[in-house]
Amino acid sequence: MKTISLFVSLALLVVLPACQRAALQRAPEASPAPVEVAAAEVRTMPIEMQAIGAVEPLASVQLKSKVQGEILRVHFADGADVRAGDPLFEIDARPFEVALKRARANLETVRSAAANASEQADRYTTLIKRGVASKEQFSQFLSTAESQKAVLDARQADVDEAQLSLDWTQVRAPISGRAGAALLKRGNIVNANTDVLTVINQVQPIYVTFSLHEAALADVRQSLAKGKPIVSAHDPDTGRLLGTGELTFVNNAVDRTSGMIAFKGTFPNEEDTLWPGQFVDVTLRLGEEADAIVVPTTAIMEGQEGPQVFVVSDDTATLRKVKVSRAVGDQTIVREGLKPGEVVITSGQLRVSPGGKVAVSQAAKSNVAESIAPAEP
């Protein structure tokens, strides 16, 4: 009985694989994988570098009073645009008006004494020429006149200083820009050259600072020799263009720690789309590369040996290694491995095997045919 069971088991082991092979031979062939395709095209592509930038004001001033006193008025609203020379704060001027009157009175007293001393010196000059006055008396009057003239100059300086202090009771904007909040309000006592009244940032134009690796310096300087490269700033979240400017500053040293070098672009910022302290995505355009072979970036796959694409010919997909240069937007420049007009798979690669059949829609075929058709003269 055991011998019969063993025989049946061995027979099943032999027969079962044969049945499976027959079933596989009877199975229908797999249907072509549906894919999206695009043709490799020749285009003129911009030479660009990407970086993360920060917006900085062209100038920033911490406004302080040059005199001490009580603030009587604030002439601007918090966050208002101001122009150079606009009055922003008014400090109680009465003590300085009194000081100016005192200085002017002292000046008049000294001016009278100086005029009298000068008159006496002139009289003795005449007398000594006639020989009727002593040299000692002449020397004394001449010394007194010169001394009074020096005192007169000092009193005039006191008047000028008092006038200057009086003028400083009107705190004016030193630059045009956007004012922050008034940090001291009416009734506060402001200390001279100590308390910050407000901060003014010049935002038109405005800087965007960014850094690139030192390896990019040669290309940037070569572009600068032809003109100022274009810098554009984009919103990091939405990609929206915030402004376009020019490269205006290259730092004079490379940071030894990071190997990066700092740059600045100047933007007109006429619509206030850039704000101090804001982070932006920066694109530095250095020029153009003519006759570049490009494909959609979605066509590029990373394999164990580097970038590769599926090339479609006669509805058959062939895996091919390529060498890429860089990506510009949604397009990638291919240095080696593709010729203009060759068709690559841009979507559905996971369903495709090398040498397998693919199904391309008629609309996709028409788009490819249009993209590789020669332009009409």
Side-chain angles (χ1 to χ4, degrees), residues 303-321:
Q304 293 182 350
E305 298 182 0
Q308 54 191 11
V309 297
F310 273 116
V311 180
V312 177
S313 179
D314 297 328
D315 293 334
T316 302
T318 303
L319 191 62
R320 186 184 299 177
K321 293 189 296 183

Side-chain angles (χ1 to χ4, degrees), residues 316-330:
T316 302
T318 303
L319 191 62
R320 186 184 299 177
K321 293 189 296 183
V322 295
K323 292 183 179 180
V324 300
S325 175
R326 65 184 187 280
V328 180
D330 60 354

Side-chain angles (χ1 to χ4, degrees), residues 60-67 71 74 76 78 88-89 91 171 174 179-185 188-201:
S60 183
V61 175
Q62 289 186 337
L63 192 62
K64 298 180 181 181
S65 172
K66 295 181 180 180
V67 294
I71 297 177
V74 179
F76 70 100
D78 291 350
L88 302 183
F89 295 86
I91 297 172
V171 182
L183 303 179
L184 292 178
K185 304 292 186 180
N188 290 127
I189 301 298
V190 60
N191 295 309
N193 302 312
T194 302
D195 298 329
V196 177
L197 296 172
T198 189
V199 177
I200 302 174
N201 288 331

